[in-house]
Amino acid sequence: MTDRVDGRLKVTGAATYAADNRLDRLAYGYLVTSTVARGTIVSMDTAAASKAPGVLAVYTPFEPLKLYRYTKEQNDELTPPLQDANVRYFGQAIGLVVAETFEQARDAAALIQVRYDAKTPAASFRDGLPSAADPPSGSPVSEVLAPGVGSIDDALNASEVTISATYTASMQNHNAMEPHPTVAAWDGDHVTLYTATQGVILVVDRIAEALGIDKAKIHVRNPYVGGGFGNKWGIWAHTPLTAAAARALGRPVKTVLTREQAFTVVGHRPASQQTVSLGARKDGTLTAIKNDGVSSKSASNSFYEPVANLCLSLYASPNIHVSRKVVTLDVPVTTIMRAPQEANGSFALESAMDELAVKLGIDPLELRRKNDSPVVPSSGVPWSSKHLDECYRIGAERFGWSRRNPTPGAVTDGDWLVGLGMATATYGASRAQASVKVRLLANGTAVVSGTGADLGTGQSTVWAILAAESLGIPVARIRPDLGDSASPVAANAGGSGSTSTNGPAVQLATDAAKTAMIALAVQDERSPFHGMAAGDVRFEDGRLTAGNLSVPFGSLLTSLDVPGVEATATSPKNGDKTHGFRSFGAHFCEVRVNAWTGEPRVSRWLTVLDAGRIVNEKTAHNQIVGGVVMGIGHALLEETRLEPATGRISNADLASYLVPVNADVPPIDVRFLDYPDTLLSPLGARGIGEFGIVGAAGAVANAVHNATGKRIRDLPITLEKLLT
Ligand code: MOS
């Protein structure tokens, strides 16, 4: 249980987030965004804006800053801003005003008159569903059929019991607390960028392309990030624009998006629809799983959610069929957000499992236990380490699942209908290549450096713990140094892979630094260890020890007048193709629905999970709580409302886009099993960032059904849906 190493800095305001970089002669950028969703900009009258107080420059498609197209999609858009007059969505960046102050830039932006040749946008997912098409890349269908079975529909028809239902989920926005800032400062032909990102290397790549400069001339610094959730992976319009403006003006420039702009300029989670059919024997054994998934997709990029995919990985079934289709819309860019595919995918599958349990008259937990799969259901490859049944058992016991009344609406407490629901939690695990550098310093501390990002996840604390453990010194004597593009290339923060990828690299680099320290000790003539065999000197508890001789590494460096010893190590990507790697767990919740108003409230929550080794239970617990809170938002509150006629988002603020606040969240009980997944890495950690959200919405929907008898198949489950 280690406190967040950067916790004090953050709560005292001493942590420097990107927008906190107040540079000399800093100028301020403000984005101008489109007020139609589709068409062409005919003209932009910038005369008044250019003459407004403090204005330094006004950039538009008619007076652009030259930017080059990206060549590879990173879940963002390939089209750089202002290079043509086309409008592809409402709220698209169409201009940048730079002024002496933020307010001057914003006021001047309001003076710009834009004339459009506007066309009617396609902005309704629902209206587009009949013309859903195959996705831009990848296969539209994945299917496994038992020998002799002709099609998934044959398998369903041959099943003793079937259910079929369609589930939908609205578009959502990430809404990290920290808005999207970029500060750019040039020194000759070198640029330094402070920008909120899930990976400084991603920014280097993008800026090199957009500005047409060498990567070696770009330095990105971003040690602290105020939440990522997926849309700080891609690089958005303001970042290359700000860098280019700073170059053109010869002054540092800072651009921070407004909350409203953060609804359109930086991507969102697509809307989705899944039609799920399950076939089973009367005893609950699944015989067929079919999920036809459709996702919205922006006309501006190719990202969509293959929402049905989770069916390939969760429950055992001899016949599984998933399909993927997209509805292409004139909407802001669709991108990864908080367990892309899986959060929505699990809502449909977990709701369908509950519907099947009701139809079969089987306890929903029993139904899941019965179909627990020791292998990847779609491939037959065994899981590396799976303890889902233990999660179910511990969870049921701790939550009091056996006291659940299976009859919907049977339990009341005053005006409240009370229901219990559960669902399986899951998230895939991976391990990529990562390099990390460890420096042992003469003051007895160590610095651990790599390009990784801590989005508030606790990643830097994990680095400190692992290095401290290996060096045998207190965590307080380790300084994790993340988010600097000059460091060795570690994992970007995405796909919940930071700890599984970077953790083993921190361990290897620390070992290498210890070896380097011992080598120095036996080679330096002034060292008391001089002349010994390296193998006879041990590094433990922060000291070099041989026989009776024992010296702290810092003292030794000081006495040798050497400032530090460093080593860089690279840990390889996971090459094991003979196992599937995925975390599993179980959510249990109690939901109360007001009998008169339909208001749903989550009143109790337990999550039990197996994520491999837990490096730091305190921050891991926070991660899961955060995921469940997002799951409650997914289930009950979060919904981006797009006006179908205009393509405008009508609730682009945090007063009308609802996220859970403390009053919406009960105490969340989180229990970890601790089984290191040693097939994934020597560290054995699988990663936990997105794990907590997957299954959460399904658990809530199932509890709502148990409370009321109403099966709401459209997220979010708002009270008007419960009143009808
Ligand atoms: Mo996360 S949605 O993999 O950034």
Side-chain angles (χ1 to χ4, degrees):
M1 287 289 221
T2 303
D3 288 346
R4 216 170 263 277
V5 294
D6 46 6
R8 181 176 292 271
L9 288 174
K10 286 179 170 175
V11 296
T12 57
T16 307
Y17 287 82
D20 297 331
N21 288 283
R22 295 185 182 84
L23 308 180
D24 269 359
R25 299 180 66 238
L26 186 61
Y28 293 79
Y30 189 90
L31 282 187
V32 183
T33 53
S34 65
T35 55
V36 302
R38 186 166 165 236
T40 311
I41 304 167
V42 176
S43 67
M44 288 176 76
D45 181 352
T46 57
S50 301
K51 283 196 265 353
V55 169
L56 299 166
V58 179
Y59 302 107
T60 69
F62 308 98
E63 295 164 273
L65 289 156
K66 176 70 192 157
L67 296 172
Y68 300 95
R69 260 179 95 81
Y70 304 139
T71 52
K72 182 171 146 243
E73 268 196 26
Q74 289 281 17
N75 309 316
D76 49 13
E77 49 192 335
L78 297 172
T79 319
L82 317 193
Q83 306 308 300
D84 61 49
N86 296 330
V87 177
R88 292 165 283 115
Y89 54 91
F90 197 110
Q92 174 187 319
I94 57 169
L96 179 77
V97 178
V98 185
E100 295 289 349
T101 70
F102 169 77
E103 290 78 6
Q104 288 172 333
R106 181 180 57 185
D107 285 0
L111 300 174
I112 297 173
Q113 302 287 330
V114 187
R115 284 208 306 119
Y116 300 95
D117 177 9
K119 304 223 166 24
T120 306
S124 164
F125 178 61
R126 198 165 303 229
D127 292 352
L129 281 167
S131 52
D134 285 347
S137 63
S139 157
V141 170
S142 300
E143 187 174 74
V144 205
L145 296 174
V149 175
S151 73
I152 192 69
D153 290 330
D154 287 353
L156 284 165
N157 290 334
S159 299
E160 292 172 10
V161 181
T162 57
I163 60 114
S164 187
T166 295
Y167 306 87
T168 48
S170 76
M171 135 185 200
Q172 297 183 326
N173 279 82
H174 305 69
N175 278 313
M177 186 85 87
E178 180 197 31
H180 291 248
T182 295
V183 178
W186 290 79
D187 181 4
D189 61 354
H190 282 67
V191 63
T192 300
L193 288 159
Y194 307 93
T195 188
T197 177
Q198 291 175 221
V200 285
I201 291 303
L202 298 164
V203 183
V204 171
D205 287 353
R206 284 313 208 201
I207 294 300
E209 283 201 306
L211 271 63
I213 60 174
D214 194 44
K215 287 184 196 178
K217 297 187 168 157
I218 303 165
H219 185 201
V220 181
R221 283 275 297 147
N222 186 43
Y224 304 105
V225 189
F229 316 147
N231 72 349
K232 285 178 183 163
W233 182 278
I235 310 306
W236 308 100
H238 62 292
T239 301
L241 273 182
T242 302
R247 180 168 62 180
L249 294 169
R251 286 177 66 163
V253 175
K254 164 160 103 173
T255 308
V256 182
L257 300 193
T258 64
R259 181 58 63 183
E260 185 178 8
Q261 291 170 348
F263 273 79
T264 63
V265 177
V266 295
H268 67 271
R269 190 205 290 280
S272 63
Q273 173 182 286
Q274 298 169 75
T275 300
V276 181
S277 303
L278 300 178
R281 291 206 287 268
K282 287 203 182 95
D283 69 356
T285 309
L286 286 169
T287 47
I289 301 173
K290 180 185 186 187
N291 186 346
D292 292 314
V294 191
S295 160
S296 64
K297 185 190 86 64
S298 163
S300 298
N301 73 338
S302 63
F303 178 87
Y304 72 102
E305 282 203 325
V307 275
N309 282 12
L310 186 59
C311 293
L312 300 167
S313 307
L314 202 43
Y315 297 114
S317 170
N319 304 290
I320 306 177
H321 173 108
V322 306
S323 70
R324 313 168 186 98
K325 285 203 181 304
V326 297
V327 174
T328 300
L329 299 172
D330 302 310
V331 297
V333 174
T334 37
T335 191
I336 54 170
M337 174 169 156
R338 312 182 197 155
Q341 318 173 33
E342 305 206 3
N344 274 328
S346 75
F347 161 65
L349 180 55
E350 293 299 317
S351 296
M353 286 294 277
D354 209 65
E355 299 206 41
L356 180 63
V358 170
K359 186 155 183 183
L360 290 165
I362 294 179
D363 181 275
L365 175 59
E366 268 321 299
L367 180 66
R368 286 169 174 83
R369 291 183 72 174
K370 195 161 202 107
N371 293 288
D372 188 359
S373 179
V375 298
V376 181
S378 56
S379 66
V381 166
W383 295 113
S384 59
S385 174
K386 181 179 184 183
H387 301 88
L388 175 56
D389 198 62
E390 191 174 336
C391 296
Y392 287 147
R393 271 194 292 110
I394 292 174
E397 170 86 30
R398 203 176 159 78
F399 193 72
W401 184 255
S402 62
R403 294 194 294 278
R404 172 180 179 268
N405 188 324
T407 308
V411 180
T412 57
D413 180 6
D415 288 340
W416 297 87
L417 309 171
V418 184
L420 302 186
M422 60 85 51
T424 304
T426 181
Y427 197 74
S430 62
R431 176 189 174 198
Q433 177 180 301
S435 299
V436 164
K437 179 168 81 181
V438 171
R439 293 195 75 203
L440 305 177
L441 302 178
N443 64 7
T445 68
V447 182
V448 187
S449 317
T451 57
D454 185 334
L455 312 178
T457 55
Q459 180 64 186
S460 35
T461 306
V462 162
W463 290 26
I465 289 170
L466 294 176
E469 201 173 78
S470 165
L471 294 171
I473 62 175
V475 167
R477 279 164 55 194
I478 308 287
R479 186 166 69 80
D481 171 29
L482 286 77
D484 188 323
S485 66
S487 296
V489 177
N492 303 315
S496 305
S498 286
T499 296
S500 58
T501 290
N502 295 330
V506 171
Q507 290 182 315
L508 282 181
T510 313
D511 287 346
K514 291 195 292 190
T515 303
M517 185 67 223
I518 291 171
L520 173 73
V522 298
Q523 281 159 19
D524 194 305
E525 286 176 359
R526 298 162 299 172
S527 161
F529 299 93
H530 179 244
M532 293 183 186
D536 293 337
V537 183
R538 299 187 310 279
F539 193 123
E540 48 190 36
D541 299 329
R543 310 168 72 93
L544 284 83
T545 303
N548 293 332
L549 190 57
S550 181
V551 186
F553 73 84
S555 311
L556 185 60
L557 287 169
T558 303
S559 68
L560 300 181
D561 202 20
V562 174
V565 161
E566 70 179 45
T568 301
T570 299
S571 127
K573 70 174 190 195
N574 178 31
D576 183 341
K577 301 265 187 279
T578 59
H579 293 90
F581 296 88
R582 179 169 276 277
S583 286
F584 295 93
H587 295 294
F588 295 84
C589 69
E590 178 188 88
V591 174
R592 293 168 172 248
V593 178
N594 189 284
W596 308 109
T597 66
E599 178 191 7
R601 310 289 305 173
V602 178
S603 45
R604 214 149 62 82
W605 199 286
L606 167 67
T607 298
V608 182
L609 355 86
D610 163 28
R613 177 180 162 189
I614 298 302
V615 176
N616 184 27
E617 196 174 336
K618 186 166 185 178
T619 45
H621 178 275
N622 289 349
Q623 284 279 86
I624 298 303
V625 168
V628 171
V629 170
M630 290 174 182
I632 292 173
H634 190 211
L636 300 179
L637 298 166
E638 292 193 55
E639 174 178 28
T640 303
R641 287 189 221 108
L642 198 70
E643 294 173 340
T646 61
R648 170 183 171 267
I649 293 171
S650 64
N651 64 336
D653 58 68
L654 288 178
S656 42
Y657 181 98
L658 302 182
V659 296
V661 297
N662 284 338
D664 298 309
V665 180
I668 293 168
D669 187 5
V670 179
R671 301 281 135 176
F672 292 106
L673 310 188
D674 204 339
Y675 293 109
D677 189 338
T678 50
L679 291 173
L680 183 62
S681 77
L683 174 62
R686 274 197 301 263
I688 41 178
E690 288 153 289
F691 191 5
I693 191 173
V694 181
V700 172
N702 297 340
V704 165
H705 180 265
N706 184 238
T708 64
K710 289 178 178 146
R711 178 65 64 183
I712 309 301
R713 303 189 180 93
D714 179 44
L715 291 183
I717 303 169
T718 48
L719 55 84
E720 63 269 26
K721 294 173 192 170
L722 288 164
L723 281 173
T724 52

